[in-house]
Amino acid sequence: MTRPEELLRPTPAGLYCPPGDFYVDPVRPVDRAVITHGHSDHARSGHGAVLATPQTLAIMAERYGPEFAGRVQAAAYGETTQIGGATVRLVPAGHVLGSAQVVVERGGLTMVVSGDYKRRRDPTCPPFEPVPCHVFITEATFGLPVFVHPPDEEEIGRLIHSLTQFPDRAHLVAAYALGKAQRVICLLREAGWSRTIHVHGALERLNRLYQREGVDLGSLAPATGLAAGALGGEVVIAPPSAIQDRWARRFADPVAAFASGWMGVRARARQRGVELPLVISDHADWPELIRTFEELGPEEIWITHGREEGLLRWAELSGVKARALRLVGYDEEDEQAPDSTIPA
């Protein structure tokens, strides 16, 4: 059987597959890339060729322009593609729209590159699909036992309770432009919030893309051209940088909220000036990470980025071989610059 290091190996540019001569989520331009999802720390422009799901390719074109790569190839979930001497298949990762795990196979060896993933339900994308494998390559953004995220419904319930408690105050919810903003909107809709939700201009193009892909966001309106003190009792969704900007001062005594897994860390919420922290993450928390490893039963676990020390210790105690790749260039939770460059 092929040895793992012969099929995938870490390099300064990212995970490289010698038999297929391609990289997974490379952090610099390469001749051929397989992209797990559209967040800009994983999906960069300038590659010679890109293979990804149709939705990820659409997101990259929206963010970087139609000429973001020399050529592109769309692969539907479950579709098998032969790249050189390796077989590649994309399966859902449950992270954001179009997100995929990359299943790479050769010579009886199966390796799964998870990209970023979560295990809980998300109304905006298909759920994580477990793929039994010899080597599972995981993120560890929330890879410590202290990170146990509450149910999404509870956090959205806290937002709606605050809207009821403070009907004269606008509620500004900070949410990353790709994935988190649309998920928060859908969770609000599922909780019965049918009123128009106002959005910052940086979110409008990706909201339209989600709607074109069949994700129903309900009634939305731009949060622009409004009189001072507007939108008391209403929800405004904006990128994180906007809620601390002069832009936020136009609204009625705004309640600053932030939807992020990091809002479970009180010091981070205080540092951001967040009045209503909402612990809603697009990454697996500690119980979800451990559940995934136990479900897949890999012979080895490779950790790409995040808090690897907790997972390395768990693997040692569980008798599972594990290694930290310490790949650089991946953010903790999509705090990328491109969202802030779109005019409000």
Side-chain angles (χ1 to χ4, degrees), residues 15 27-28 78 83 103 116 118 124-125 135-136 149 174 176 178 197 200 202 211 215 237 241 302 304 315 318 323:
L15 278 172
V27 297
R28 62 184 67 166
I83 306 179
V103 183
D116 289 337
K118 66 176 177 293
T124 71
C125 64
V135 180
F136 184 67
H149 300 149
Y176 302 117
L178 172 57
I197 294 174
H200 188 280
Q211 289 171 318
V215 179
I237 311 288
S241 59
W302 293 4
T304 56
S318 302
R323 59 181 292 199

Side-chain angles (χ1 to χ4, degrees), residues 154-229:
E154 288 184 7
E155 298 302 282
I156 291 297
R158 292 176 57 241
L159 173 57
I160 292 177
H161 176 73
S162 182
L163 284 158
T164 303
Q165 190 175 15
F166 304 108
D168 298 326
R169 302 180 66 185
H171 283 61
L172 273 58
V173 182
Y176 302 117
L178 172 57
K180 186 66 64 62
Q182 297 79 24
R183 183 175 166 211
V184 168
I185 292 169
C186 286
L187 289 171
L188 277 165
R189 299 307 187 198
E190 290 184 344
W193 189 264
S194 59
R195 292 155 68 169
T196 296
I197 294 174
H198 292 75
V199 297
H200 188 280
L203 311 183
E204 291 180 2
R205 292 191 299 174
L206 288 171
N207 285 346
R208 287 195 294 268
L209 187 153
Y210 266 67
Q211 289 171 318
R212 289 197 301 269
E213 293 293 332
V215 179
D216 184 8
L217 301 178
S219 175
L220 304 178
T224 55
L226 301 169

Side-chain angles (χ1 to χ4, degrees), residues 226-272:
L226 301 169
L231 301 184
E234 303 297 340
V235 176
V236 180
I237 311 288
S241 59
I243 67 168
Q244 296 177 321
D245 188 72
R246 183 176 57 186
W247 175 87
R249 301 174 193 168
R250 69 186 72 179
F251 304 110
D253 189 17
V255 174
F258 196 161
S260 168
W262 294 112
M263 289 299 99
V265 181
R266 293 182 180 179
R268 290 213 179 195
R270 288 196 301 268
Q271 184 182 25
R272 295 266 192 167

Side-chain angles (χ1 to χ4, degrees), residues 4-11 13-24 30 32:
E5 292 77 8
E6 295 173 336
L7 185 54
L8 285 171
R9 66 171 186 240
T11 74
L15 278 172
Y16 176 62
C17 176
D21 191 23
F22 66 84
Y23 293 81
V24 179
V30 299
R32 177 178 276 279

